Amino acid sequence: MKFKVIILLLLCFSTVCLKAQNRSLTDQLESIVDRESNIKFIEDSIIRSKLQQRNVDSIRLLIKIDSLREIEGRSAQEAEVAIDTAAFIKRQEAVKQSPFAQESESEVTFDKKQGIGHQSVYKKNHDLKANTAVFGWHPYWMGSAYKSYNYSLMSHIAYFSYELNPITGGYHSIHDWKTTALIDSVQAHGKKALLTVTNFGERNNQKFLNSLPAQKHFIKTAISLLKARNADGLNIDFENIGASDQGAMTNFIIDLATTMRMQRPDYQLTIALPAFDFHNVYNVSALQPHVDLFIIMGYEFHGSNSTVAGPVAPLSSGNIWWEYNLERAVDQYLASGIAAGKLLLSIPYYGAEWETEDLLFPSKTKHFKGYWTYRKIMNKYGRQTCCYDQISDSKYYVFRDQNNTYRQIWFEDSTSLAKKYQWINNKNIGGVGIWALGFDNGYTELWELLAEHFAEQEARTASGIWNKFMRNFRRYAFYSLRVLKNPKTLITNPRPLMGIIGGMFGVSMVGFFFLYRFGYRLKRYKMLAFKGITIILLLIAGLFVLFGLKFLGYQETKYLMLGVLISTILFLIYSYRSVAEKDLP
């Protein structure tokens, strides 16, 4: 009996304690509600957002963890900004992912999947303006799109990417880095060939940046890969680094830069920066002496998990768009102390499409349809993309599809990019970046726009023609030196060789006609030597005609036609003289 009484008393005491604890928790929650007006606001914000399900989960987790520590004490507007910035960070990671499930395929396979072609190519040679950089990423899934690049309009091209294993410092994949002819093409034109290193997600960055053995192994591996291709440096693209890892990130970059330059003093180190350093990760004053270029990733202001359809890269916001924009991004990094000459603003060669609630903007989104490259937008919608937003300086197209669903597409074209390029020049920063090269494959207008804004505008004077001749001479001289160092270059990048052979075609024909007309005057041993050289040149020219035509670009075709023209003129001259002599009595 006494035992039952004791049990009963314990139960009553436990019940009283639980009620007291619940009352205490209730009081705390009511206090939070009072300070925040109503904590239900956060739940309503999530419901209003209508994000894709995978992003909804991440945002809810963020709120669950931070609601008492960070969101408490904020205004409703500040809480909403916290949610928007978290989604922004996630978008910047997502847009760098390959659109294909099978990522270990060859360039030829990716060419077929992407429809890469080389029929429409802008090959006019230019000189970039002094102290101007044009930086472009070539994603591995763009296959051989690099065969259509105008290298004279680039300063740096970064192969994307070395996919970092954050635990070991090795790589999950480097794709075609060891074999792609892109690297040879970049250096044959005297430009900088870089390898981009990617590590996405806060946890992955935390693992790597807090593991000195992994960093040591990475640095050793990366330098060996640069040496294997005689490349010029690295581009570090670590996205979503936690605030607590600022010191570790700074030490890693300094260690990497120092070790690289011990191996080769002219190695370049560049960093891809988020549009906004929300976590204050980049210690600019410490990093600047070791980093050659800082490239702002100026896109994803609206994207896959946006609650509102809008410009991917707004130059300004007005009273319509989110307060963050390209102008603010550049100004904040300049204010942080980055030298203007080292700062580049990267812009998108792609757009985003949503199903929306209406055709006006800003409109709430129903469903994200996908990211489309410039090429796909032009192929699908052609020139019917009619509309231009003066506030954000972005192009858009709104329509109703066959299912009576409203659609909005926001992207960049030559009109909107012209505004942004002009702003970059007026701002006097270091230049522009492009995500990503090859996205405009088959269209030349974006190359022409780069030439208009970032290249020297040469008049066709004697000095201009001479400068052009010397530029081409230096290009082929550089290529010849690379062939002497690494004969495999002839296989991986035969295009410049085709230009040389095209010119030799004319020279060989000159030799042939010289023998035809004046061979009888040469001594026997000189005759044999001259014949041998001429025959070799003719054989090379024949092989060129049979197998090299597919490598022809504008420049190579020009040299070939020049050689043929010279040969034809000489043939007519010598044939005329020969016939005239035979007709003499």
Side-chain angles (χ1 to χ4, degrees):
M1 182 66 179
K2 290 182 178 180
F3 181 76
K4 291 182 178 179
V5 171
I6 292 171
I7 294 297
L8 183 61
L9 290 173
L10 287 173
L11 288 172
C12 292
F13 180 76
S14 299
T15 302
V16 171
C17 289
L18 287 172
K19 286 184 177 179
Q21 186 177 5
N22 289 336
R23 188 179 301 112
S24 176
L25 290 172
T26 301
D27 291 340
Q28 292 179 32
L29 289 173
E30 287 177 352
S31 175
I32 293 172
V33 169
D34 289 338
R35 288 193 297 270
E36 288 297 313
S37 298
N38 194 342
I39 204 169
K40 188 175 181 298
F41 163 78
I42 300 172
E43 296 176 353
D44 291 338
S45 296
I46 298 172
I47 294 171
R48 286 197 312 270
S49 68
K50 296 182 180 179
L51 302 175
Q52 294 181 353
Q53 188 57 46
R54 65 180 187 276
N55 295 308
V56 172
D57 294 338
S58 65
I59 300 301
R60 291 192 182 194
L61 180 60
L62 171 73
I63 295 171
K64 182 177 179 181
I65 294 173
D66 293 342
S67 59
L68 294 179
R69 290 185 303 172
E70 295 186 11
I71 296 179
E72 179 182 355
R74 294 182 180 183
S75 68
Q77 184 178 3
E78 288 173 333
E80 188 169 8
V81 168
I83 297 170
D84 287 343
T85 54
F88 186 25
I89 292 170
K90 294 295 292 183
R91 288 197 297 274
Q92 287 201 312
E93 291 179 34
V95 78
K96 295 290 185 71
Q97 303 300 321
S98 169
F100 302 105
Q102 298 295 325
E103 299 184 353
S104 59
E105 297 174 339
S106 66
E107 288 184 352
V108 175
T109 304
F110 284 124
D111 283 350
K112 292 178 180 178
K113 289 186 174 182
Q114 297 275 41
I116 300 298
H118 306 289
Q119 292 75 34
S120 183
V121 180
Y122 181 72
K123 285 293 184 180
K124 184 177 180 181
N125 277 318
H126 296 274
D127 285 322
L128 289 176
K129 293 178 181 178
N131 302 317
T132 297
V134 179
F135 185 107
W137 283 278
H138 171 82
Y140 65 87
W141 62 83
M142 292 312 296
S144 70
Y146 57 82
K147 293 179 181 178
S148 295
Y149 295 169
N150 188 312
Y151 294 95
S152 71
L153 290 169
M154 305 299 300
S155 60
H156 302 71
I157 295 183
Y159 183 82
F160 191 92
S161 70
Y162 177 121
E163 296 178 4
L164 182 68
N165 182 331
I167 298 175
T168 67
Y171 50 80
H172 295 299
S173 177
I174 53 172
H175 304 286
D176 291 319
W177 169 259
K178 292 182 178 180
T179 57
T180 179
L182 166 70
I183 310 306
D184 300 304
S185 297
V186 173
Q187 295 202 323
H189 289 82
K191 308 300 181 175
K192 301 297 183 183
L194 309 180
L195 173 60
T196 295
V197 183
T198 54
N199 196 34
F200 297 158
E202 187 170 347
R203 290 185 63 188
N204 286 333
N205 283 306
Q206 187 176 49
K207 288 176 185 176
F208 177 72
L209 293 174
N210 289 279
S211 173
L212 292 179
Q215 293 174 37
K216 182 178 180 181
H217 180 59
F218 160 73
I219 293 173
K220 181 179 179 181
T221 304
I223 291 175
S224 69
L225 290 173
L226 293 181
K227 288 181 176 179
R229 298 307 309 269
N230 194 27
D232 301 288
L234 297 175
N235 169 244
I236 302 300
D237 185 6
F238 289 5
E239 300 191 20
N240 196 4
I241 303 173
S244 61
D245 292 322
Q246 185 209 64
M249 179 65 175
T250 303
N251 285 327
F252 164 67
I253 293 296
I254 294 174
D255 186 21
L256 173 60
T258 303
T259 309
M260 286 173 61
R261 285 160 186 153
M262 287 176 63
Q263 297 291 321
R264 193 175 118 183
D266 63 342
Y267 270 143
Q268 294 218 338
L269 181 59
T270 64
I271 294 181
L273 296 173
F276 292 92
D277 187 9
F278 293 116
H279 295 160
N280 193 28
V281 169
Y282 298 94
N283 184 344
V284 171
S285 60
L287 292 176
Q288 187 152 218
H290 305 278
V291 176
D292 294 284
L293 292 174
F294 297 88
I295 307 108
I296 301 173
M297 296 180 287
Y299 32 79
E300 285 310 288
F301 290 84
H302 294 87
S304 60
N305 58 11
S306 297
T307 61
V308 172
V312 175
L315 188 58
S316 57
S317 302
N319 296 322
I320 296 179
W321 305 114
W322 194 31
E323 59 182 319
Y324 293 101
N325 52 55
L326 296 180
E327 290 180 344
R328 184 171 174 181
V330 170
D331 286 342
Q332 287 195 3
Y333 277 116
L334 289 175
S336 73
I338 295 179
K342 285 190 173 186
L343 187 64
L344 274 59
L345 176 62
S346 183
I347 46 79
Y349 273 16
Y350 70 90
E353 182 177 1
W354 298 264
E355 290 181 1
T356 57
E357 292 188 359
D358 54 53
L359 296 180
L360 300 176
F361 64 82
S363 172
K364 291 184 178 180
T365 59
K366 289 184 175 181
H367 177 65
F368 181 67
K369 296 295 292 183
Y371 293 112
W372 312 124
T373 63
Y374 180 85
R375 167 193 173 90
K376 288 185 178 179
I377 293 173
M378 292 296 108
N379 286 347
K380 186 174 182 179
Y381 299 108
R383 305 299 175 181
Q384 64 183 338
T385 49
C386 68
C387 305
Y388 187 81
D389 176 32
Q390 299 287 345
I391 295 174
S392 64
D393 283 309
S394 300
K395 203 70 177 286
Y396 69 94
Y397 178 48
V398 297
F399 65 100
R400 185 172 61 181
D401 64 20
Q402 295 178 347
N403 299 320
N404 286 327
T405 302
Y406 293 137
R407 300 273 196 94
Q408 290 195 20
I409 305 169
W410 288 82
F411 65 103
E412 305 295 327
D413 72 350
S414 56
T415 304
S416 63
L417 290 177
K419 295 284 188 179
K420 293 177 172 68
Y421 290 168
Q422 187 60 53
W423 184 84
I424 288 171
N425 284 328
N426 292 340
K427 201 71 175 176
N428 290 319
I429 60 175
V432 67
I434 298 166
W435 178 261
L437 296 174
F439 283 7
D440 64 334
N441 178 260
Y443 294 87
T444 63
E445 55 263 31
L446 301 190
W447 288 109
E448 293 168 16
L449 192 68
L450 286 173
E452 180 181 346
H453 289 273
F454 299 106
E456 296 286 358
Q457 304 302 313
E458 286 187 353
R460 293 194 62 83
T461 61
S463 60
I465 295 172
W466 172 253
N467 290 336
K468 188 172 184 179
F469 170 79
M470 290 304 298
R471 180 171 63 240
N472 289 330
F473 176 79
R474 288 193 298 269
R475 171 189 169 190
Y476 285 103
F478 184 84
Y479 176 77
S480 300
L481 291 175
R482 283 186 57 78
V483 170
L484 291 175
K485 291 181 180 178
N486 181 17
K488 290 182 179 179
T489 302
L490 291 173
I491 300 173
T492 58
N493 184 32
R495 183 186 292 271
L497 179 64
M498 295 303 105
I500 295 173
I501 294 175
M504 290 168 60
F505 185 85
V507 176
S508 64
M509 293 303 292
V510 170
F512 173 78
F513 290 120
F514 181 85
L515 287 176
Y516 172 76
R517 183 67 180 85
F518 301 107
Y520 66 92
R521 297 184 181 179
L522 296 175
K523 291 183 179 180
R524 183 180 181 86
Y525 68 92
K526 289 183 178 180
M527 180 72 168
L528 291 174
F530 204 90
K531 278 185 176 181
I533 294 172
T534 303
I535 290 171
I536 291 172
L537 291 175
L538 286 171
L539 285 174
I540 293 174
L543 292 173
F544 165 75
V545 172
L546 288 175
F547 304 108
L549 292 178
K550 66 179 181 180
F551 298 106
L552 282 180
Y554 169 79
Q555 193 72 15
E556 292 75 24
T557 304
K558 182 174 66 176
Y559 289 135
L560 173 62
M561 296 309 297
L562 181 62
V564 172
L565 179 62
I566 293 173
S567 301
T568 303
I569 292 172
L570 290 173
F571 175 78
L572 292 174
I573 292 173
Y574 288 129
S575 296
Y576 173 79
R577 288 182 178 178
S578 177
V579 172
E581 288 175 359
K582 289 180 180 180
D583 289 341
L584 291 175

